[in-house]
Amino acid sequence: MMGSIINEYWLKFKTLIELNSTILITKASLAENRATNKFMGNPNKVSFTHETDVVEVYDFLGESYGFTFASFEDMNNNKFHEFKTVDIIGYITGSEKPTTFIGKVGTPTPKVIVHLEDLNGNAINVTFFGDYANLMTNYIANNPTRPTL
């Protein structure tokens, strides 16, 4: 994603923004990238302002970052709390044909199962319902080259 920093804020951020580093950016602005010369494939850009904070991150685990990641291996081995929401990240390797699920109240709800794989080759299936199923189906259709979730 393209980033934009005006000169007066550059000194605040220049030591934190390095190639191959991982940073957490808060209080930034996200907008459509309308630049004439686009260097990244992402249609959006992030703009840094006087309120923006940038922190180098070594491990995104922990709720202080808003994430509670679970590894695919732990999920496959049932080593996570089944009633707690967890975050995952992986490559979409495929999906089932969307179907309709009939819940307890008899209302038809869209459903799609998505196949994910992590960097170690571990695979899991994730089921999306309702609007999330529709969003995921459209996302996969519009991003056919190994999208990331």
Side-chain angles (χ1 to χ4, degrees):
M1 179 179 296
M2 184 172 167
S4 172
I5 305 172
I6 61 174
N7 286 341
E8 66 184 271
Y9 304 133
W10 175 243
L11 290 176
K12 178 180 176 182
F13 303 114
K14 75 175 187 175
T15 60
L16 293 169
I17 301 173
E18 295 179 18
L19 183 64
N20 295 323
S21 68
T22 303
I23 57 176
L24 176 67
I25 304 168
T26 57
K27 300 180 198 160
S29 166
L30 186 65
E32 181 182 355
N33 183 1
R34 295 184 182 176
T36 306
N37 298 317
K38 296 181 180 175
F39 303 104
M40 306 300 290
N42 193 305
N44 300 309
K45 72 173 182 175
V46 62
S47 296
F48 293 64
T49 70
H50 68 283
E51 294 183 352
T52 303
D53 289 318
V54 177
V55 178
E56 189 169 10
V57 176
Y58 300 100
D59 189 350
F60 268 113
L61 294 177
E63 302 205 5
S64 62
Y65 297 112
F67 300 106
T68 306
F69 282 107
S71 72
F72 287 18
E73 184 176 5
D74 284 351
M75 294 182 76
N76 285 332
N77 292 321
N78 294 319
K79 292 182 179 178
F80 68 98
H81 193 282
E82 65 184 83
F83 297 108
K84 184 175 181 180
T85 301
V86 296
D87 296 293
I88 58 171
I89 187 167
Y91 291 107
I92 298 173
T93 58
S95 65
E96 305 292 324
K97 182 179 175 183
T99 61
T100 301
F101 173 78
I102 306 296
K104 289 182 181 179
V105 294
T107 306
T109 303
K111 171 186 167 184
V112 67
I113 298 172
V114 177
H115 310 290
L116 299 179
E117 185 176 299
D118 67 11
L119 292 174
N120 297 321
N122 297 306
I124 62 170
N125 294 329
V126 179
T127 305
F128 293 89
F129 295 94
D131 291 339
Y132 292 112
N134 294 332
L135 287 169
M136 187 53 56
T137 300
N138 290 334
Y139 178 76
I140 292 169
N142 293 318
N143 296 281
T145 56
R146 199 172 165 146
T148 305
L149 174 65

